[in-house]
Amino acid sequence: MTEAILLVGGRGTRLRPLTVHTPKPMVPAAGVPFLTHQLARARAAGVEHIVLATSYLAEVFEPYFGDGSSLGLHIEYVTEEEPLGTGGAIRNVASRLHSGPDDPVLIFNGDILTGLDIRALVTTHETTGADVSLHLTRVEDPRAYGLVPTDATGRVTAFLEKPQTPEEIVTDQINAGAYVFRRSVIDTIPEGRPVSVERETFPELLATGAHLQGMVDSTYWLDLGTPQAFVRGSADLVLGRAPSPAVPGRCGDRLILPTATVAPDAKLTGGTVVGEGARIGEGARISGSTILEGAVVEPGAVITDSLIGARARIGERSILTGAVIGDGATIGPDNELRAEVRVWCDARIPGGAIRFSSDQ
């Protein structure tokens, strides 16, 4: 298996304002665009040629990654003129593949952080003679996901939509967003229209007697679709909980990129990342957070489980918990922002304007 398709065309609407100026796979996680981690892990598993299926803000990928040679890869780019869904995107790039009809092609989503053993998934695919093999993971509460039950041999028996009642929860196995396709199967996907592999391709293959194999791998897995999950994923990469050969430094409590400046008495913990050119002031306390390029955190600010956008500024003594601050935004001093607040790009919040406690 030397070829892969990486689906990076989504608009990332659940991640806004992080994705206003940046496509989701290019938002930095642990100091580099998240996509870098996926590409590096694919290369480590033996992939040599990757086709990126792009759509939203497609123009930013190639200037950053070029032909992929810096990562030991050959990367090609295919842009959808209209969104085609997961299946449609796969079919849209099929002409760029060089594999033979029976060769395995790795396909994975651009918003999943995982410790999946990619080689093991390919081995499972080859030894079982499957048409498609799926990475499955187990979750405690599967109600938000489609369920994928399997028989005793791991063969997929059904694809079930999100369960609505306890009786419908027949398994805790869910589709984890990484697949190995027999190359010829890709050509059976309808061309030129939106297709969902989850709702159309896989159920139809199953109905026609195709062999779909599941491999349960319950190592680290996280869907980075929400800001809170993205911040957690970045912190887990820095802490070493999520594996990646692309983290630009040693794993530990913090990752400070080379041109950042951090005051000697500032305290950074919990997998915090400080991006290029960012500045952290005296007495600031930052835990489990991502401070992007050129952002400024002024003295005495306290930031927990938050993401501070590029060139944003957090005022003195402000307290942020679970917040997302867009690029170029300014939070004045003595503000308090709580969980799940999103401040849009270039917004301005005056000093002391938002509080959840007395100002005394």
Side-chain angles (χ1 to χ4, degrees):
M1 191 264 321
T2 61
E3 288 197 298
I5 298 170
L6 187 46
L7 305 174
V8 293
R11 298 185 62 85
T13 52
R14 290 185 297 159
L15 276 178
R16 289 171 71 87
L18 301 181
T19 51
V20 170
H21 302 127
T22 307
K24 178 167 51 176
M26 297 298 288
V27 176
V32 296
F34 174 67
L35 179 55
T36 309
H37 299 289
Q38 294 186 304
L39 294 172
R41 294 199 72 245
R43 181 67 191 96
V47 173
E48 298 173 358
H49 176 220
I50 291 186
V51 184
L52 296 188
T54 67
S55 179
Y56 176 64
L57 295 176
E59 66 276 7
V60 309
F61 293 96
E62 189 167 4
Y64 188 92
F65 292 107
D67 64 2
S69 56
S70 63
L71 292 169
L73 291 163
H74 172 51
I75 298 177
E76 293 187 69
Y77 306 83
V78 177
T79 301
E80 302 168 16
E81 295 182 5
E82 298 291 336
L84 294 172
T86 48
I90 293 167
R91 183 65 181 87
N92 191 50
V93 306
S95 63
R96 301 295 185 93
L97 299 173
H98 311 310
S99 301
D102 291 327
D103 290 340
V105 177
L106 174 68
I107 300 171
F108 49 116
N109 291 334
D111 55 2
I112 300 295
L113 177 58
T114 176
L116 168 68
D117 185 337
I118 296 172
R119 290 183 185 270
L121 181 62
V122 176
T123 298
T124 295
H125 179 79
E126 292 176 332
T127 56
T128 60
D131 296 300
V132 179
S133 297
L134 298 86
H135 170 208
L136 307 179
T137 193
R138 292 190 173 99
V139 295
E140 289 186 11
D141 184 359
R143 288 176 297 177
Y145 305 95
L147 308 185
V148 187
T150 54
D151 66 16
T153 68
R155 188 161 179 160
V156 174
T157 58
F159 289 89
L160 307 175
E161 287 301 309
K162 297 174 183 178
Q164 303 299 312
T165 66
E167 293 75 24
E168 293 179 290
I169 302 177
V170 298
T171 181
D172 59 357
Q173 297 175 178
I174 67 165
N175 177 359
Y179 321 110
V180 177
F181 272 64
R182 187 190 303 273
R183 170 66 184 86
S184 57
V185 174
I186 294 175
D187 291 331
T188 68
I189 299 173
E191 192 172 9
R193 68 169 176 86
V195 180
S196 165
V197 290
E198 301 87 354
R199 294 179 177 85
E200 183 175 342
T201 304
F202 292 156
E204 287 185 0
L205 284 170
L206 205 59
T208 57
H211 180 174
L212 276 65
Q213 185 72 22
M215 188 193 84
V216 177
D217 182 315
S218 293
T219 53
Y220 186 98
W221 183 86
L222 185 64
D223 178 350
L224 300 184
T226 66
Q228 292 72 30
F230 200 97
V231 170
R232 177 183 154 199
S234 177
D236 285 348
L237 283 162
V238 175
L239 292 166
R241 294 172 180 166
S244 170
V247 176
R250 296 172 58 184
C251 292
D253 242 9
R254 63 186 191 175
L255 173 65
I256 302 172
L257 296 192
T259 59
T261 57
V262 178
D265 64 344
K267 187 175 182 180
L268 311 179
T269 59
T272 287
V273 182
V274 182
E276 296 280 2
R279 292 187 286 122
I280 309 300
E282 294 83 358
R285 290 183 288 134
I286 307 176
S287 176
S289 298
T290 295
I291 314 299
L292 293 185
E293 175 182 357
V296 176
V297 177
E298 295 183 352
V302 179
I303 300 174
T304 305
D305 299 336
S306 298
L307 193 146
I308 310 303
R311 303 173 308 283
R313 178 177 290 269
I314 308 303
E316 293 182 314
R317 300 173 302 279
S318 282
I319 300 172
L320 280 64
T321 303
V324 178
I325 309 302
D327 297 342
T330 298
I331 309 301
D334 300 306
N335 278 292
E336 296 177 1
L337 303 181
R338 288 190 176 177
E340 299 190 19
V341 67
R342 305 187 191 205
V343 177
W344 234 248
C345 301
D346 300 314
R348 298 286 185 269
I349 295 181
I354 301 176
R355 300 190 62 85
F356 291 85
S357 63
S358 167
D359 62 347
Q360 299 297 315

